[in-house]
Amino acid sequence: MTKILEAPVCSLLEFAGILFDQGKSVRLTVTGSSMQPFLRPHIDSVELVQLDLSTVKTGDIALFRRGNGEFVLHRIYSIQENHYFFTGDAQTFIEGPIEANQIIARVTTIWRGQKNISASNTALRVAAKTWSYTIFPRKVINYLRRKLSAAQTN
């Protein structure tokens, strides 16, 4: 039986390192909005496994720790000479370089309720790659999406 733990993300992620060392995966609920539209906050969850740098590629969603200690789950935008550049799917900027030792885990599965979607699903990867090409006009897209959402609630 799967055990469900609820605790602050920082505490869970410290504990996750122990589970990763044992070859186990960790499932966390998405809480931020930076990965919309692909990951929905408080609705979707992700399954993480210990990172193997030899298998990581652009388009993967990975968990890393910023220099200030904050944990972030974003998509790898590019890899240049062992430096990693990330962006959230809802963001309009690229963050990096992130060093390899800052990257903790990689998403293998996205959960929407009881339905799971493999992070290596071809349709999902094509959609994410296509979406990544919109990084600069994304600001306009997100602005219009917020306006439409606000109009629908009024």
Side-chain angles (χ1 to χ4, degrees):
M1 180 171 170
T2 302
K3 291 186 179 181
I4 298 175
L5 301 174
E6 290 189 27
V9 172
C10 290
S11 300
L12 284 175
L13 292 175
E14 296 296 338
F15 180 67
I18 296 167
L19 295 174
F20 291 150
D21 288 342
Q22 296 173 3
K24 298 184 186 218
S25 63
V26 174
R27 186 170 159 184
L28 297 174
T29 300
V30 175
T31 57
S33 61
S34 66
M35 286 298 291
Q36 288 188 79
F38 289 93
L39 298 177
R40 300 169 303 174
H42 307 287
I43 297 171
D44 297 339
S45 60
V46 294
E47 189 168 332
L48 299 160
V49 297
Q50 188 168 32
L51 186 72
D52 176 357
L53 286 175
S54 68
T55 64
V56 102
K57 54 191 173 291
T58 59
D60 284 351
I61 301 172
L63 178 73
F64 68 93
R65 193 171 199 167
R66 288 182 173 142
N68 65 3
E70 182 180 22
F71 291 98
V72 180
L73 186 72
H74 279 170
R75 193 175 304 282
I76 298 174
Y77 185 79
S78 70
I79 304 169
Q80 301 170 14
E81 298 179 16
N82 295 323
H83 291 97
Y84 299 80
F85 296 83
F86 285 81
T87 187
D89 290 338
Q91 290 182 314
T92 57
F93 62 91
I94 298 167
E95 183 173 356
I98 303 297
E99 301 295 328
N101 65 355
Q102 291 175 263
I103 307 171
I104 300 161
R106 178 178 60 84
V107 171
T108 58
T109 308
I110 299 166
W111 291 84
R112 298 228 158 114
Q114 297 303 311
K115 181 181 178 187
N116 67 59
I117 305 163
S118 170
S120 61
N121 175 289
T122 302
L124 179 66
R125 291 189 73 83
V126 167
K129 186 70 168 175
T130 302
W131 180 254
S132 74
Y133 292 131
T134 69
I135 192 164
F136 298 108
R138 206 177 289 162
K139 189 177 242 179
V140 173
I141 292 167
N142 287 332
Y143 172 79
L144 292 173
R145 188 169 45 90
R146 284 191 302 270
K147 283 291 191 187
L148 285 171
S149 178
Q152 290 174 349
T153 59
N154 291 333

